[in-house]
Structure formats: C-alpha cells, structure tokens
Amino acid sequence: ARVRFRVRVKVRVSVRVRVRVRMRAAMPRRAALVGLLLQLPVLQLDFSEALGLTFDLRRGRRGGVLRSPRLGMSSMPGMDPDDVRDPDEDIDGNPGKGGLGRFFRSGRVVDFRSDTVTKPTFAMRRAMFRAEVGDDVWGDDPTVIKLEKQTAELFGKEAAVFTPSGTMANLMAVLAWCERGDEFICGDKSHMFLYEQASFAQFGGCSPRTVPNDADGTMPLSGVRAAIRAHDPMNHFPVTKLICVENTHNMCGGRVLPISYLRELRQLADAAEPKPLIHMDGARVMNAAAALNADIKAIVAPVDSVSLCLSKGLGAPAGSLLVGPKAFVDKARRIRKALGGGMRQAGVLAAPGIIALTRGAKRLHEDHELAQMLAEGAADIAGMTADPPPSNIVMLHLLPSSGPNAPDAFDVAAKLKENNILVAALSPVTIRAVTHGDVNVNDAMALLNGLRSILGGSVSPPTPYPAAVDPVAAPAKEPATVTAPAKAPPAKEPAAATAAAAATATARAATAGPRTTPAPLERIRRSSDERSQSLVRAGERRGARRAQTARRRRSAGRKTV
C-alpha cells in the first residue's frame, strides 16, 4: 500500500515598528516641528505643551495606524492607559475601520456647551461589552446591583436606585416624598424649577413654591422659613413636604453650597412644623466634593435624599442614581416602573457608571483648573467679564456697548459655531462655557482667541498659556475694579457709553471679587514633563500587554497544530 501524506505549512510573519517621539525642546522649536508634521494630511492632531507620542506602523486594511495615549488631554502622572478615549478601536484594542482616533481628525468640534457631551472612554466601552447582565426589573442584573450598592456606600445612605436620567431621578424623589396636592420649596433659578417641564405637576399633582436664589446658589434661610406652610386648621393651604436644593448650582455658575449652610438648613427643617424633608439635586455633587476637597458623605449627610448624574463631568454615556433610605428607594423604584424607567439588561449602562464613579471623580479637579484658566483669560478680553468659577462652569458676561452693530451673546455663539467652537448663550449678555474631560488647554485657547476676534482685540499666539495669566512670566495682578475703558484698545474704548452701562460693569466686577494668581496654571505648567513621561509609559504598557496577548495566541496556535 502506498500512503501519501500532504503537509501544509502556513507561515505568518508580522512586523511591527515602533517609533517613539518625545519633544522637550523650547516651545517655539517644538511648535515648529509639530507645525511641520501638521502639513501631512495623516497627522491632523492636537498638541499641548509637552507631547509623548507612540507611532505603530501596522499592515492592515487601512495601512498604518497612529496611536497616542489621550493626546492633548489634561492628565496627571500615573494615568491608566484604559482611560484613552479612542472610539475607533474595537473592544480588544485592535484598530477599527474608523482609522485615526477622534483627536486626530481634522475639523474637530470643540464643545463647551455642557459636560453632558463627554464621550465614553475606552475602558467604559470595554466594560459595556463585557458587562455581566440580567433583568433589572426582576432585580437580578449583577452590574446594576453592584453600582447601586457602591453608590449607597459612597454616599453613606441605605440604598440607591439606577435611573435613565437625572430628571427622572428628581421626579421620583418628589413623587416618593410628596402626595398629590402637596407643595415643595425650591430656588427660583434651580434646574428642577426651570428645566424639568413642571413634571411634578404633570405626573404627581405637586406644586413648587420658589424662594429667590442668592448669587452663591443658596436660598436665604429666612426666605425658606417663611415659605414653609404652618399648620392650617381651615385646610386652605397645601402642605409643605419637601425642600429641594441644588449642588453645584448650574444657573449660579457652578456655585458650591457650603456644608455649614446645609447643616443650618437641616436644623431649620427639623425645627419647623410640619417638618419638611430635604432633597438635593446633586447632578454635579461630585464636583462639589472636588471643589471643597471634602468627603462626599459630609456633603450629603444633612439631606434625606440625593440624585447623582453619571453622564456629566463623570463621563458615563447615560444614567443617574437616586440615593436615600431603603423604604424611600423601594417606593421610588416602583415609581420608576410607572414612569417607564424600568430597564432590562441595564448592566451595559451601569458598567461605565462604575468606572465613572471611581476613575471619573478623581480627575474633576482638572476641569476646575481649566475653568479657572478660561475665566482668567476671558476677563482680559475687551468688552467682557467673567465670574470666578468655583467648579467647572464659567459664566461670561458681555459689557454694555453703545455701538450699533455690537454683537450680543447669541451672535457671538453663532460666530464661534462657524469655527467649530460651541458655547451656550443663556441670554443676550451671558454665555456659559463648561469644562470637561473632552476639552483641553488648547481648546480653551481656541475659545479665547475666538472671543477676541469677535469682540475686538489682538489674537494671542497658539500657546497653551496666555501671557496675561502666566504665573512665571508675569507677577500676580493687584486686585482692581475691572471696567471696560481700562481694558479696551483706543478704537474700542466706550467713551460714549452711558453712565448706567459703566455702573453695571463696575457692579458686576465688584460682585465678582478680586482675581487671584492662577495657582492651578502653575501646577499644570510644572507638571508638563511628568505628564509627557506618564503618557509615554502608558503607551508602552499598553503595547506590552498587546504583544503578550499576541504571543499567547501564537503559542496556542502552535499547540493546536
């Protein structure tokens, strides 16, 4: 017998070239080199004061691929490489069909409208893919259970319930604490009163009673005390069941409520008759903890319930939580079902929420530092003032002008949009800019230069740090009253402005308080080399993990043969 054997050997050779570029030269030379690279269409990228780049040239359906750990984003030493925001990779980190990552595309839109526009990080996308899920309506989704338990422990409360949105969380809280016909107290500038469609009246038959907010976001205790309905033997009035506060306060420029104020409000509520409960709209309460450098338990201890949004500065794609006593949460969970908020395999949304609650909260101080830089730069623009931001919300105010063609805030926002820069115009004289994880120092400079070009004045060079607020090149400014004539060039001096306009500008500057030396900028500048080295190390660790995975796969393939 003749036996023939045919052996087929398939050899696959993979060549990987890594070129590491590290630029530590002076800024002009570094900018010149990067400017030369930017002439190539494949290298449309952002660059900051220090760059740590890793180029991986791979053979694939779209050729070479450029990789970099969160290039241009503010990041501190020890950054986890999983926090890289690269939506064009698949869940295992392989280059996808999208080619270059989001930060390497030309014409990128810079969005300062809100911190709700943040995109999920790579770690969040991977966690969504690998999330262990169940049916949350039946109460057996393990990832949702983990998120709720973790949040309740973090806040020092008994229980928590996962909701699709913060608006639903606030509505559930009011409906759980109040009955039909009851009344709750809130600020006249609160999000619950202005931007939630009076849903409490629509679905619960509850009415709000407003108290004017002070500039710091608080409600005067005397006003709250007067708004609480006393016992009514004739049954004419609604019953005051709830007091709602907002922390941080959106329309008051991200103001942080002092813990002492919350404790005094608690004492006031306990001493009233009937005793109203306290709910905190804490969509950005983690920003309050970062601004105060305080434990979140101390902030929410005086309140009975609190809502937390995961999709704002924390960076998750969706979801909020309502935290409070177990009996309250059980009732709120039943209300969630009636409102259509019962989700099934919700673990795919809870998984990025867990990452947002742990990793996202640790970097919120970077957003606050960038907001301070943005306010300092905007205050030096002719025809504009800026409120000192305590957190990540910057309120920009246009000064009165006698010119017939002077742009208002809506015109400014429209012109910025033409240059791919988005801001929110809240009124004809007020613009809101919110910093978050998807904007960086260069984006802030682009916004400031755009405002200068629209309102008049010279445009600053493309350096991450404005010369007017450079803590190294210039000494700290003395506290002074900021008026339009002192800052404007001769052609823009409002000599014909009315006395009322000048008084308005002086009053706004006086309420804003003196501007201090931007200490956060100095820390950002001095840590630039450390950030560059951290980015390079993060890329190396990620590459090493991929290489190790590839070796294991090749070894497994040889064993199979």
Side-chain angles (χ1 to χ4, degrees):
R2 192 171 188 180
V3 181
R4 290 185 178 181
F5 294 93
R6 176 175 294 180
V7 179
R8 178 176 296 178
V9 180
K10 189 175 182 180
V11 180
R12 184 176 181 181
V13 180
S14 177
V15 179
R16 186 176 184 183
V17 180
R18 297 173 65 88
V19 181
R20 191 178 305 141
V21 180
R22 298 172 67 180
M23 288 172 266
R24 293 188 180 181
M27 186 63 198
R29 287 179 290 174
R30 206 162 51 232
L33 177 57
V34 175
L36 179 61
L37 293 175
L38 289 175
Q39 302 303 317
L40 302 176
V42 73
L43 295 180
Q44 297 292 331
L45 50 88
D46 292 341
F47 63 95
S48 186
E49 184 182 0
L51 296 181
L53 303 182
T54 300
F55 295 86
D56 293 344
L57 277 64
R58 303 176 181 175
R59 293 294 298 171
R61 66 180 65 185
R62 293 183 65 88
V65 176
L66 174 63
R67 295 289 171 218
S68 173
R70 202 174 181 183
L71 180 65
M73 302 302 294
S74 59
S75 56
M76 302 304 292
M79 180 197 71
D80 194 309
D82 285 340
D83 287 334
V84 177
R85 294 176 182 267
D86 190 351
D88 292 325
E89 289 185 348
D90 65 16
I91 206 62
D92 292 321
N94 301 315
K97 297 181 180 180
L100 300 180
R102 176 165 54 89
F103 293 110
F104 309 101
R105 298 193 187 101
S106 58
R108 181 172 72 90
V109 176
V110 178
D111 201 337
F112 284 97
R113 291 175 300 174
S114 175
D115 46 8
T116 60
V117 302
T118 52
K119 306 298 189 301
T121 64
F122 171 79
M124 292 180 182
R125 295 171 184 269
R126 184 175 61 181
M128 294 173 71
F129 182 81
R130 298 176 176 175
E132 185 180 359
V133 298
D135 193 319
D136 183 46
V137 175
W138 287 86
D140 57 8
D141 190 303
T143 308
V144 173
I145 294 174
K146 179 180 178 181
L147 173 62
E148 293 175 346
K149 182 178 179 181
Q150 183 175 332
T151 306
E153 293 176 352
L154 179 66
F155 281 58
K157 302 295 184 182
E158 293 181 0
V161 56
F162 185 51
T163 68
S165 68
T167 297
M168 181 178 287
N170 288 332
L171 175 58
M172 289 163 51
V174 174
L175 299 186
W177 289 129
C178 302
E179 302 293 338
R180 297 190 67 87
D182 288 341
E183 187 177 70
F184 67 94
I185 297 172
C186 63
D188 65 339
K189 296 181 181 178
S190 66
H191 191 278
M192 293 178 64
F193 179 68
L194 294 176
Y195 299 114
E196 298 186 11
Q197 285 194 11
S199 57
F200 324 101
Q202 292 188 53
F203 301 105
C206 302
S207 60
R209 188 175 191 185
T210 59
V211 175
N213 282 113
D214 287 338
D216 60 355
T218 63
M219 296 179 291
L221 296 178
S222 58
V224 175
R225 184 180 296 105
I228 297 176
R229 304 277 188 177
H231 178 65
D232 177 24
M234 300 295 294
N235 299 320
H236 290 307
F237 308 129
V239 179
T240 304
K241 285 288 188 69
L242 190 64
I243 301 173
C244 298
V245 295
E246 184 176 339
N247 195 16
T248 63
H249 202 290
N250 181 5
M251 296 307 294
C252 291
R255 300 295 169 184
V256 180
L257 302 187
I259 298 178
S260 59
Y261 170 80
L262 295 173
R263 291 172 179 169
E264 292 176 2
L265 184 64
R266 175 82 269 171
Q267 295 174 0
L268 184 153
D270 292 341
E273 185 59 40
K275 294 180 173 59
L277 302 166
I278 301 177
H279 170 70
M280 176 183 290
D281 177 5
R284 297 182 176 90
V285 70
M286 300 303 292
N287 289 89
L292 296 175
N293 194 22
D295 188 359
I296 188 66
K297 291 187 179 71
I299 296 177
V300 302
V303 303
D304 298 286
S305 62
V306 57
S307 61
L308 167 69
C309 185
L310 300 173
S311 60
K312 289 187 169 65
L314 298 180
S320 291
L321 290 124
L322 181 60
V323 190
K326 187 178 185 307
F328 161 80
V329 170
D330 291 342
K331 185 176 181 180
R333 195 182 300 274
R334 180 175 175 83
I335 295 172
R336 184 190 68 172
K337 175 67 174 177
L339 295 175
M343 299 176 287
R344 299 296 179 176
Q345 286 69 42
V348 293
L349 292 177
I354 294 174
I355 296 176
L357 203 59
T358 54
R359 298 185 189 179
K362 295 179 180 178
R363 52 155 305 281
L364 291 178
H365 66 278
E366 301 177 29
D367 298 342
H368 299 181
E369 293 168 1
L370 185 60
Q372 293 176 22
M373 171 199 161
L374 182 60
E376 287 284 339
D380 290 326
I381 297 177
M384 174 173 284
T385 62
D387 297 337
S391 56
N392 67 324
I393 299 177
V394 183
M395 291 294 189
L396 308 174
H397 305 284
L398 301 182
L399 296 176
S401 175
S402 60
N405 298 321
D408 61 11
F410 299 102
D411 296 331
V412 172
K415 293 180 180 179
L416 289 173
K417 186 177 181 179
E418 295 174 359
N419 294 280
N420 292 335
I421 302 175
L422 304 180
V423 294
L426 303 181
S427 72
V429 296
T430 304
I431 295 174
R432 188 187 73 167
V434 184
T435 57
H436 49 81
D438 284 7
V439 294
N440 55 44
V441 176
N442 289 318
D443 297 333
M445 285 303 305
L447 173 57
L448 293 175
N449 286 334
L451 292 172
R452 288 190 184 95
S453 65
I454 295 171
L455 299 177
S458 60
V459 177
S460 299
T463 171
Y465 301 100
V469 297
D470 191 336
V472 178
K477 293 184 178 181
E478 293 294 331
T481 300
V482 182
T483 58
K487 298 190 301 180
K492 286 286 183 178
E493 286 184 1
T498 62
T504 302
T506 305
R508 180 177 290 129
T511 56
R515 297 209 308 270
T516 57
T517 303
L521 292 182
E522 185 175 359
R523 184 161 69 87
I524 294 176
R525 174 184 287 275
R526 290 181 179 179
S527 64
S528 59
D529 287 339
E530 297 178 1
R531 292 202 306 270
S532 175
Q533 296 171 10
S534 174
L535 292 173
V536 173
R537 289 194 298 268
E540 291 174 347
R541 290 195 300 269
R542 190 171 182 178
R545 286 203 303 269
R546 289 178 178 171
Q548 185 178 5
T549 302
R551 286 195 298 270
R552 281 201 298 265
R553 291 176 178 173
R554 289 195 298 268
S555 176
R558 285 195 295 268
K559 292 179 180 178
T560 303
V561 174

